[in-house]
Amino acid sequence: MSDPYDVIIVGGGPGGYVCAIRAAQLGLKTACVEKRGSLGGTCLNVGCIPSKALLQSSHHFEAASHEFASHGVKTGKVALDLPTMMARKDKVVDDLTKGIEFLFKKNKVDYIVGEGVITAADTVEVKPTSGKKQILKTENIVIATGSDVAPLPGVSIDEKQIVSSTGALALSKVPKSMVVVGGGVIGLELGSVWRRLGAEVTVVEFLDTILPGMDGEVVKQMTRTLKKQGMKFKLKAKVTAAKAAKTGVTLSVEPRDGGEAETIKADVVLVAIGRRPYSDGLGLDKLGVAVDERGFIGVDPDLQTNIPGIFAIGDVIGGAMLAHKAEEEGIAVAESLAGQSGHVNYDVIPGVVYTWPEVASLGKTEETLKEEGVDYKVGKFPFSANSRARANADSEGFVKILADAKTDRVLGAHIVGPAAGDLIQEAVSVMEFGGSAEDIARTCHAHPGLSEAVKEAALAVDDRAIHM
Ligand SMILES: Cc1cc2nc3c(=O)[nH]c(=O)nc-3n(C[C@H](O)[C@H](O)[C@H](O)COP(=O)(O)OP(=O)(O)OC[C@H]3O[C@@H](n4cnc5c(N)ncnc54)[C@H](O)[C@@H]3O)c2cc1C
């Protein structure tokens, strides 16, 4: 048997592959076990990347159909070539997943294809799809097995008519009507893709609002904007059953707070009610690794499970189920294993919804600050008063900055608008350094730029926005 590894990572998603690369950079003998047959996990294969590829393509389609003419660009009748759009998306995924294989080679990470089972705190057995199983010895194990689609009782997913996000990324034709069950990030992004391509989209949400947990003003604005785009919403409603037939899917929907049930018909139903931790078949029971009642693996502040030498990161431990949160955790564990002080600042993890306009959220919302009794100030600036947004004809939305009333320290930032997902990064850096609204306000921003709206919102915290 060859020398044991310093660390074996089970799962090659953004948590696992980033952890592996960082560990190898730091001189640790590293292997990454992945059963999917390609690296990048949910994010690259069936999540972040294919959804963004389709969001971009469908955005172009909508712009060419409805917006180019106002810029003086004549196109004639715009036609959709869905197979080409899907093939482009597949190529983006393929190129990026292969890119990670290249990075593994470059950094000397052993990529082991197969299903990993942890049989002891120092042993991972790998079952390949064919051939003999391998037994690998290691000093440390990092579980980075991610998450899977959460099922909805009464509704069985066939990935054709009743689809999860995975099926919704690969429909072979545009449905005439689509019901999205769940008004969270994934439902709104994929609902937007198919609405832009021609489907009539209705979102059914159990809670009082879409985008639960986001700042109230953001939710209000996005509900209004998405409705204006043609998306319909059925809130406080519960889907209890779905029946697929040749003529479409019939959904049974009950008002959440009581009342008459109704049926809704749709060509395709997308179930997007969340994700559950994926730890099936890992052997956690036998090892005694502690998991909570929902299946999330428990970890201490160093991301170590209750079994010394076994760590867990990413979606499988819960918290914000986001690729960049998984990556931060992967780096923190790798650095701790190499004797450094790995650390994740969970207070400064941005969340982005890649609809158009985009939504970006960071830190506290106004609602949480009120709940916590924090004395805060608000600075808000609309994109309608930002010259670049006006020049681009993309002036919907606003930037909102929340700062401590006494110290002016930035406590949260919320953006609805063009490129919100990139603009939020300025607030991320400022919050990471414990900066104030005045720090943003006194920083020079290039003109004409969308980021000037961030500066103006920071000025507005102290009632001194210039262009309002
Ligand atoms: C449609 C969609 C869109 C999304 N968009 C975004 C976005 O825009 N931004 C964002 O930040 N997040 C987004 N997410 C969430 C993001 O994909 C996840 O948060 C992220 O992938 C979690 O990373 P991870 O490394 O923890 O797990 P995963 O990416 O789920 O990777 C885990 C890997 O482990 C493998 N595995 C599991 N068990 C075993 C085993 N026993 N042996 C070997 N391998 C195993 C799996 O095959 C998988 O490849 C999106 C998700 C979806 C579904």
Side-chain angles (χ1 to χ4, degrees):
M1 193 177 278
S2 57
D3 284 349
Y5 284 99
D6 292 315
V7 57
I8 294 178
I9 296 123
V10 184
Y17 86 73
V18 168
C19 181
I21 291 173
R22 186 70 188 122
Q25 279 178 349
L26 291 165
L28 302 179
K29 184 172 151 64
T30 307
C32 181
V33 181
E34 169 57 61
K35 66 177 183 176
R36 187 186 291 272
S38 68
L39 290 166
T42 303
C43 175
L44 263 72
N45 291 280
V46 289
C48 325
I49 299 304
S51 60
K52 266 79 257 178
L54 290 183
L55 278 157
Q56 185 67 17
S57 297
S58 60
H59 183 64
H60 287 323
F61 178 71
E62 185 160 61
S65 306
H66 304 296
E67 290 161 28
F68 280 10
S70 68
H71 291 269
V73 180
K74 287 190 172 177
T75 54
K77 189 165 165 32
V78 176
L80 175 67
D81 176 358
L82 189 59
T84 298
M85 197 180 276
M86 289 292 174
R88 190 196 83 92
K89 177 244 334 170
D90 292 340
K91 180 162 179 347
V92 171
V93 169
D94 202 43
D95 287 352
L96 289 175
T97 55
K98 292 221 172 78
I100 299 172
E101 273 186 54
F102 163 78
L103 292 173
F104 271 14
K105 278 194 194 116
K106 180 178 160 210
N107 288 284
K108 301 194 171 48
V109 174
D110 286 348
Y111 170 29
I112 298 169
V113 181
E115 183 176 1
V117 181
I118 305 169
T119 51
D122 67 348
T123 313
V124 177
E125 272 187 25
V126 183
K127 294 190 263 179
T129 31
S130 62
K132 268 199 355 211
K133 79 174 172 204
Q134 266 178 287
I135 295 174
L136 307 171
K137 288 285 179 189
T138 180
E139 296 289 327
N140 299 284
I141 294 170
V142 179
I143 303 171
T145 48
S147 62
D148 204 354
V149 173
L152 178 62
V155 179
S156 62
I157 288 170
D158 59 23
E159 296 296 15
K160 287 200 170 69
Q161 286 176 289
I162 304 177
V163 297
S164 69
S165 53
T166 304
L169 290 166
L171 296 179
S172 57
K173 64 176 198 209
V174 180
K176 261 179 125 172
S177 55
M178 174 183 255
V179 168
V180 178
V181 188
V185 180
I186 293 175
L188 296 184
E189 286 186 359
L190 293 176
S192 289
V193 166
W194 292 106
R195 182 202 57 72
R196 292 171 189 169
L197 299 181
E200 250 188 44
V201 174
T202 305
V203 176
V204 180
E205 168 59 54
F206 180 77
L207 297 172
D208 295 8
T209 68
I210 56 166
L211 297 174
M214 287 220 168
D215 189 90
E217 281 189 282
V218 167
V219 171
K220 225 191 238 165
Q221 166 86 46
M222 280 312 286
T223 308
R224 201 178 329 128
T225 299
L226 292 173
K227 270 188 187 165
K228 211 168 67 190
Q229 293 174 0
M231 218 179 246
K232 294 192 181 116
F233 294 105
K234 205 171 244 311
L235 302 173
K236 301 185 209 173
K238 187 172 152 190
V239 172
T240 52
K243 220 164 135 201
K246 265 202 182 130
T247 52
V249 185
T250 307
L251 279 180
S252 308
V253 183
E254 282 175 12
R256 181 195 67 187
D257 302 326
E260 288 265 306
E262 61 173 323
T263 55
I264 310 180
K265 283 203 95 171
D267 289 341
V268 171
V269 171
L270 161 60
V271 179
I273 57 159
R275 307 206 26 106
R276 64 170 180 192
Y278 187 63
S279 50
D280 299 351
L282 264 179
L284 300 185
D285 276 5
K286 273 195 197 150
L287 277 166
V289 174
V291 296
D292 73 10
E293 63 291 348
R294 292 162 66 203
F296 290 109
I297 297 177
V299 289
D300 67 13
D302 294 326
L303 299 161
Q304 187 159 211
T305 67
N306 59 319
I307 308 289
I310 302 186
F311 297 78
I313 58 171
D315 280 9
V316 79
I317 64 167
M321 290 170 97
L322 293 168
H324 42 283
K325 176 263 198 186
E327 291 183 27
E328 292 298 315
E329 289 174 342
I331 287 181
V333 168
E335 294 186 346
S336 299
L337 290 176
Q340 301 185 353
S341 315
H343 172 71
V344 180
N345 183 357
Y346 289 101
D347 291 336
V348 192
I349 298 202
V352 177
V353 191
Y354 293 87
T355 46
W356 199 262
E358 292 180 354
V359 181
S361 177
L362 173 70
K364 305 281 185 189
T365 62
E366 239 189 296
E367 290 72 24
T368 37
L369 289 174
K370 277 186 190 134
E371 263 168 45
E372 291 170 8
V374 177
D375 199 9
Y376 65 93
K377 287 211 235 174
V378 185
K380 209 175 146 193
F381 190 80
F383 281 103
S384 57
N386 172 271
S387 54
R388 183 73 196 281
R390 293 296 283 258
N392 291 357
D394 264 329
S395 56
E396 195 143 8
F398 57 83
V399 179
K400 175 173 174 178
I401 292 181
L402 301 168
D404 188 283
K406 246 195 237 117
T407 64
D408 195 41
R409 189 181 178 133
V410 178
L411 302 174
H414 305 277
I415 306 177
V416 176
D422 293 302
L423 294 177
I424 197 74
Q425 209 52 42
E426 178 175 6
V428 174
S429 297
V430 169
M431 277 184 73
E432 185 65 41
F433 288 110
S436 64
E438 178 150 15
D439 288 328
I440 300 176
R442 291 204 178 272
T443 303
C444 184
H445 289 64
H447 175 77
L450 297 172
S451 70
E452 286 178 296
V454 179
K455 177 185 172 107
E456 291 273 10
L459 283 164
V461 169
D462 192 32
D463 275 338
R464 56 193 172 107
I466 300 293
H467 293 92
M468 271 296 284

